[in-house]
Amino acid sequence: MTTADATVARPATTALPRKKIRVGEQLVHGVLFIAAAISVLTTVGIVLSLVLPALDFFREVSPWEFFTGTTWAPLFLDAHFGVVPLVVGTLTISFWSSLVAFPLGLGVAIYLSEYAAPRATAFLKPILEILAAIPTVVLGYFALTFVTPFLRDIGLEVEIFNALSASLVLGVMLIPTVATLSEDAMAAVPRDLRDGGYALGADKLQVSTKIVVPAAISGIIAAFVLAFSRAVGETMIVLIAAGQLAQITFDPRETIATITAFIGATGNGDVPTGSIEYKTIFAVGLTLFVMTLIMNLISIRLVRKYREVYE
Amino acid sequence: MTSLASTAPSIAADKPRRLWRNRIFMWAMLFCMFVAFGTLVVLLVDTFITGWPAVTKQLLTGLPSTVPAEAGARPAILATLYLGALVLLFSVPIGVLTAIYLEEYANHERWWNRLIEVNIQNLAAVPAIVYGILGLAFIVRGIGVGRVVLAGGLILTLVVLPTVVVSSREAIRAVPDTIRQGAFALGATKWQVVWRQVLPASIPGIATGSILALSRAVGETAPLIMVGAITYVAFNPTLLGPYTALPVQIYNWTRQPSADFQVLAAAGAIVLLVIVLSMNAVAIFLRNRYRRQW
Amino acid sequence: MVSEDMTQMESPRIDSGKIAEVSHGLERSVVERRDKVFSVSDLRVAYGGNIALQDVNLDVHKNTVTAFIGPSGCGKSTFIRCFNRMNDLIPGAKVSGTVLYHGEDLYGRDVDEVEIRRRIGMVFQKPNPFPKSIYDNIAFGPRVLGMDGSMDERVEGSLRQAALWEEVKDRLKDGALGLSGGQQQRLCIARALAVEPEVILMDEPASALDPISTTRIEDLMHELKRNYTIIIVTHNMQQAARVADMTAFFSVLVDEDGAGRRGILVEYDSTTKIFTTPSDKRTEDYVTGRFG
């Protein structure tokens, strides 16, 4: 008999163990579910905090006037509640910043995904992260105190508060968003596809732009949609640099007001609770929420599509 | 028989044009990189040059004042640190527990679990200011606690909670299933497997994600504006007292027309950037150091 | 039917005569005199409606080594996981039929499947040590199960049984992931032994290892079967011939419409018989290398 045998103990009985009621396990499951439910409660809270006061608002102001009116002057004696200028302001900012973020972000993504050496990537990606980490208040300050004077210096007659400065800075801020998501999508494209292209005699440019990008297109579009949605929801940059003048204009050199700027400016001030001005915050906020929600759902659907294809 | 080589176009014929196309494309991409990183550099340099003279002991330790030369940001800095601590305290446990639930316990066939998942994805994309509205509604009315530090901390927690959940889920998912199988096969219960094997193995990833979320929370301004981080606070903040935070302070200084306040704003921005970027650096360091090769 | 005189048959890859020499397997009569540990009847396993394995009937006896062999997709891994109810962890998996463990229904309604896994241990195909120290790997099981007694002694005893003690005794606090593949697998065996099981299930334990490590694991099985009952899945026929007392051959049954594939038990007998004079032609085709 070896030492090995000596330390082996035989089970006392061969009868099957009866099921233990493991209270601890059930408790844990319960606690975990509660934690997860907090997120649901948050959404419920958001919806309630928007919808209820908004309904209140729409009792006093007709939805028709709200959604189609072109004058926004809720704080004046002769008040107007047409939200169109705010929406136009928001979309203007989003449009111009997308014009910056989409191509530049995609270019960065293609470079990182297809061209850059691993060592370069390891160095560049953290820098992108840092760009993404700059607080928006600092970006807003930069837009106001550097970009606006700079634009004037090069001859563009921009007003002190203008859409262009804010859009440019916001666009650059969104480059990492577009780049990271697009790069993920491109990395998911299998190597075989690229090899097939090279084997046919295509060069790197053709493989990258005609094979990889189309193959990753749903992920790339998801990136665009997400970036656009972020631009729509951005507050501080536009609040500081784009102004609070709700007017409909398509000239980015002029002052505008976005939905978020209005909410930020009004919520901060001494607007009496329960007044009609107070309620505008919620009606406008609800509009914003619905806009970003729709865009976000589209983006999620697109991401799922590209994940499905390759994973 | 004539050789094919003499009738077929030379394979080098297209080369110059091809080279040019590729070269131009490369320049285009490098331009994109240049814009992104160049802007970052310009921003950091400009902020630094403008603000550095005003980063004085007075700024860091003094109380605010209407006189720019004497203005300090101590209450704001302290409040920002408190808010950060609150966010860490609330978002990490709730976020990690939610992630554990979704990854290890939830049966994804059930509709309520899918609802929770979709819900978190949506919350991650809700603009921060909407969380501010949520805070406004429940603070000014309803069961609110008032315009106090605690409220600000709670709202910021909600803002970053989805991010913490997503990154924790990824860290948990990265733990290979064979580890779980091995532990189950020894007779461990589900919680024992999670608590003793899965969680310890995913701590680096969770820590990285949490610190990144924290750095974002600390830089958020819009929600705090909405829940009443007021303009002028000339005393040290307490948990249930009025406050202002550093980003809000910067915003307020930016709004002042006087150039001196612009300089102050830049100085405040430097302090904020130092806080935020050092958190990011720690997170990146953690991620690289503990990158595990399964 | 198979002809009487097997030695006349052409066996291109396996010299059936030699197999009988190599195998140290027990005779069937000896095996069947030992206590039945498991008794499987009419077992069927389905994943989400697709039948993976069906109509399995066999008995496993105490202190023997039983091998499951067969081509890939025949359900042998699915089958072995029925013995410690690891299939319960797969959502959508359904096990029907009967598995008796010492005469009692393993899948009974009030049976604690967590405790079962202590008694019926498992070693996996790819070594899966925990990302902890060697000591903590072995100690994990006893700790979570609340076993008392000296942990140091338990760790040493398990490592000795797994023939790993001499190699690691001076570095118990080192990380387990730093061990070689063969050492990691022996660590996993020691880990399973530490909780004092009765049965050890091994799902292709050596398929990820080099030949020398494989031999050591096989030697280990000979040692361990004195005190434990061992069931092993292997795709390596020679291995089955070397270590097993009883061998079960599984194969794949393709549906009439060609769409579904399900595993079935073709033949179960002493190893010697399976490899020299199998009763079923499919078994013969497989062991002589004509397919699979």
Side-chain angles (χ1 to χ4, degrees):
Chain A
M1 194 141 158
T2 65
T3 15
D5 294 338
T7 51
V8 169
R10 294 269 57 99
T13 164
T14 52
L16 279 180
R18 294 297 125 188
K19 210 166 191 98
K20 272 196 222 157
I21 311 235
R22 293 193 160 85
V23 175
E25 291 294 306
Q26 293 178 335
L27 204 68
V28 162
H29 197 135
V31 168
L32 293 177
F33 185 77
I34 291 176
I38 288 182
S39 63
V40 178
L41 284 177
T42 308
T43 304
V44 170
I46 290 180
V47 170
L48 283 180
S49 67
L50 289 174
V51 169
L52 294 181
L55 285 180
D56 219 10
F57 173 84
F58 285 121
R59 253 170 280 196
E60 290 185 45
V61 176
S62 84
W64 181 255
E65 189 204 330
F66 182 76
F67 286 111
T68 62
T70 56
T71 311
W72 180 259
L75 305 173
F76 286 62
L77 277 174
D78 179 20
H80 288 276
F81 297 96
V83 83
V84 172
L86 291 182
V87 173
V88 168
T90 298
L91 292 178
T92 303
I93 296 279
S94 310
F95 171 73
W96 291 105
S97 57
S98 298
L99 217 56
V100 168
F102 289 179
L104 295 185
L106 189 56
V108 169
I110 296 180
Y111 181 72
L112 288 178
S113 167
E114 309 292 313
Y115 283 80
R119 262 188 314 166
T121 313
F123 169 72
L124 293 170
K125 276 181 119 169
I127 300 189
L128 265 184
E129 273 189 68
I130 291 178
L131 178 57
I134 306 275
T136 52
V137 67
V138 176
L139 289 171
Y141 170 85
F142 179 68
L144 180 69
T145 62
F146 184 91
V147 178
T148 301
F150 174 76
L151 289 178
R152 285 177 160 186
D153 285 344
I154 61 171
L156 278 168
E157 286 166 17
V158 294
E159 307 197 27
I160 299 187
F161 299 112
N162 66 88
L164 189 58
S165 303
S167 302
L168 290 176
V169 172
L170 180 55
V172 172
M173 175 193 121
L174 290 173
I175 288 180
T177 305
V178 174
T180 342
L181 268 172
S182 304
E183 202 235 329
D184 278 350
M186 287 190 265
V189 174
R191 215 203 134 78
D192 303 349
L193 255 66
R194 292 180 182 82
D195 287 347
Y198 286 125
L200 286 169
D203 60 31
K204 198 158 205 179
L205 164 63
Q206 291 167 320
V207 168
S208 303
T209 54
K210 298 212 165 91
I211 295 184
V212 179
V213 167
I217 197 69
S218 56
I220 293 177
I221 295 187
F224 287 176
V225 172
L226 185 67
F228 191 85
S229 161
R230 289 237 179 117
V232 165
E234 170 51 39
T235 309
M236 295 316 294
I237 301 181
V238 295
L239 185 56
I240 294 177
Q244 290 150 45
L245 182 62
Q247 58 171 348
I248 302 182
T249 166
F250 295 106
D251 183 353
R253 299 172 304 173
E254 298 196 39
T255 313
I256 52 146
T258 63
I259 296 177
T260 51
F262 171 73
I263 298 175
T266 316
N268 187 29
D270 305 302
V271 169
T273 311
S275 65
I276 186 70
E277 299 91 348
Y278 179 76
K279 292 177 202 168
T280 56
I281 297 178
F282 299 90
V284 169
L286 181 62
T287 313
L288 177 69
F289 180 69
V290 169
M291 283 170 74
T292 53
L293 187 67
I294 292 176
M295 283 187 265
N296 189 49
L297 288 174
I298 296 178
S299 172
I300 292 181
R301 176 83 33 102
L302 285 169
V303 168
R304 198 170 299 152
K305 212 172 96 182
Y306 97 70
R307 288 244 172 93
E308 256 169 34
V309 175
Y310 290 124
E311 285 175 15
Chain B
M1 179 163 149
T2 49
S3 86
L4 282 171
S6 58
T7 51
S10 154
I11 54 173
D14 217 11
K15 193 143 196 223
R17 202 164 42 134
R18 184 184 289 267
L19 265 175
W20 264 115
R21 268 203 333 239
N22 278 274
R23 202 165 287 172
I24 292 180
F25 188 66
M26 180 64 95
W27 284 116
M29 285 190 301
L30 288 176
F31 172 72
C32 299
M33 306 281 288
F34 177 72
V35 170
F37 299 142
T39 310
L40 177 63
V41 169
V42 169
L43 179 145
L44 292 175
V45 168
D46 178 63
T47 309
F48 188 81
I49 292 182
T50 315
W52 181 247
V55 178
T56 60
K57 192 151 178 289
Q58 172 62 15
L59 180 75
L60 295 174
T61 59
L63 294 173
S65 152
T66 44
V67 178
E70 294 167 21
R74 186 178 85 218
I77 296 177
L78 277 180
T80 292
L81 295 176
Y82 289 173
L83 287 172
L86 284 175
V87 168
L88 213 52
L89 186 64
F90 289 127
S91 69
V92 173
I94 299 180
V96 172
L97 289 179
T98 305
I100 294 177
Y101 176 76
L102 287 173
E103 286 298 311
E104 306 285 332
Y105 281 79
N107 179 355
H108 291 275
E109 308 272 311
R110 303 257 176 274
W111 66 267
W112 54 83
N113 289 324
R114 277 189 296 199
L115 180 70
I116 293 180
E117 278 204 57
V118 171
N119 187 51
I120 290 183
Q121 281 181 310
N122 278 330
L123 284 177
V126 168
I129 197 159
V130 173
Y131 285 96
I133 298 180
L134 168 68
L136 178 65
F138 284 101
I139 287 179
V140 179
R141 306 174 174 229
I143 16 110
V145 284
R147 303 179 169 203
V148 297
V149 174
L150 184 60
L154 286 177
I155 293 300
L156 286 181
T157 300
L158 290 181
V159 171
V160 300
L161 188 59
T163 316
V164 175
V165 172
V166 168
S167 62
S168 302
R169 282 189 77 179
E170 266 172 49
I172 290 174
R173 210 177 298 161
V175 177
D177 205 42
T178 51
I179 304 278
R180 295 180 183 82
Q181 300 266 311
F184 276 122
L186 287 167
T189 63
K190 190 164 221 169
W191 179 243
Q192 284 172 330
V193 172
V194 168
W195 180 248
R196 290 172 180 259
Q197 295 291 352
V198 177
L199 261 190
S202 45
I203 281 184
I206 293 179
T208 304
S210 305
I211 295 179
L212 288 174
L214 178 65
S215 119
R216 180 173 157 214
V218 155
E220 278 291 348
T221 321
L224 291 180
I225 292 180
M226 299 297 290
V227 300
I230 55 189
T231 317
Y232 196 80
V233 172
F235 45 84
N236 282 349
T238 60
L239 202 61
L240 289 174
Y243 68 109
T244 187
L246 189 54
V248 179
Q249 184 73 280
I250 297 174
Y251 169 62
N252 283 315
W253 279 334
T254 312
R255 284 201 300 177
Q256 314 285 350
S258 151
D260 290 329
F261 277 109
Q262 301 295 320
V263 170
L264 268 181
I270 294 180
V271 178
L272 183 61
L273 281 171
V274 165
I275 297 178
V276 166
L277 293 182
S278 46
M279 284 186 205
N280 273 66
V282 169
I284 294 179
F285 169 74
L286 273 182
R287 182 198 299 151
N288 289 339
R289 175 92 148 65
Y290 291 100
R291 189 192 300 276
R292 212 184 301 252
Q293 297 291 44
W294 295 107
Chain C
M1 277 317 285
V2 166
S3 74
E4 294 287 329
D5 189 356
M6 282 294 293
T7 50
Q8 303 289 14
M9 286 213 42
E10 235 181 64
S11 32
R13 277 188 234 153
I14 296 188
D15 185 335
S16 305
K18 282 245 166 58
I19 296 267
E21 296 171 37
V22 171
S23 169
H24 304 293
L26 297 168
E27 300 249 325
R28 183 168 177 155
S29 49
V30 175
V31 168
E32 287 183 343
R33 258 181 270 141
R34 302 191 176 176
D35 290 342
K36 268 193 224 174
V37 176
F38 291 108
S39 188
V40 178
S41 3
D42 299 324
L43 183 79
R44 171 146 75 106
V45 182
Y47 293 117
N50 294 321
I51 299 182
L53 183 69
Q54 67 182 26
D55 299 331
V56 182
N57 296 282
L58 58 73
D59 298 330
V60 177
H61 296 264
K62 206 166 153 61
N63 295 341
T64 61
V65 178
T66 306
F68 299 159
I69 62 173
S72 62
C74 67
K76 44 191 202 296
S77 278
T78 304
F79 183 41
I80 200 175
R81 295 165 71 94
C82 291
F83 290 103
N84 65 349
R85 294 185 62 168
M86 285 296 272
N87 281 325
D88 290 8
L89 297 174
I90 300 177
K94 201 165 162 318
V95 176
S96 28
T98 321
V99 179
L100 296 180
Y101 174 62
H102 290 294
E104 290 187 68
D105 186 2
L106 193 67
Y107 285 80
R109 195 175 295 271
D110 58 342
V111 170
D112 188 0
E113 71 269 17
V114 172
E115 171 67 12
I116 290 254
R117 294 183 191 127
R118 184 189 74 74
R119 307 237 198 125
I120 305 169
M122 185 168 237
V123 173
F124 297 81
Q125 177 173 346
K126 191 164 167 296
N128 57 352
F130 301 134
K132 297 173 185 272
S133 69
I134 296 173
Y135 189 95
D136 286 332
N137 261 273
I138 314 267
F140 175 74
R143 279 191 189 131
V144 300
L145 294 166
M147 294 173 122
D148 40 38
S150 157
M151 188 63 75
D152 287 352
E153 275 176 27
R154 205 181 273 280
V155 169
E156 180 177 340
S158 309
L159 286 170
R160 280 190 189 280
Q161 286 186 72
L164 190 58
W165 173 251
E166 292 301 320
E167 287 166 64
V168 302
K169 64 183 178 192
D170 297 323
R171 45 183 178 133
L172 293 177
K173 294 297 181 185
D174 287 356
L177 292 172
L179 296 174
S180 74
Q183 288 172 321
Q184 285 186 5
Q185 192 64 305
R186 276 178 284 147
L187 175 67
C188 292
I189 295 176
R191 186 175 72 185
L193 294 174
V195 295
E196 296 169 9
E198 186 198 346
V199 179
I200 305 175
L201 307 173
M202 300 194 182
D203 190 351
E204 305 217 29
S207 68
L209 305 177
D210 60 273
I212 296 187
S213 304
T214 303
T215 311
R216 296 180 93 164
I217 303 259
E218 288 177 11
D219 291 341
L220 202 50
M221 284 189 231
H222 282 298
E223 269 292 313
L224 290 173
K225 86 173 185 197
R226 288 200 259 156
N227 293 307
Y228 305 92
T229 305
I230 300 181
I231 304 180
I232 134 173
V233 166
T234 179
H235 65 263
N236 181 338
M237 280 183 290
Q238 287 94 330
Q239 180 170 88
R242 284 192 291 268
V243 302
D245 300 312
M246 298 287 287
T247 299
F249 169 61
F250 293 81
S251 186
V252 183
L253 196 66
V254 184
D255 273 352
E256 299 83 53
D257 50 11
R261 298 164 64 87
R262 46 191 80 182
I264 49 160
L265 172 64
V266 173
E267 192 173 340
Y268 175 56
D269 213 322
S270 72
T271 307
T272 320
K273 178 142 195 317
I274 292 277
F275 283 95
T276 53
T277 54
S279 312
D280 193 303
K281 181 157 197 326
R282 289 170 289 182
T283 318
E284 182 198 324
D285 285 345
Y286 182 74
V287 303
T288 54
R290 284 221 195 93
F291 90 93

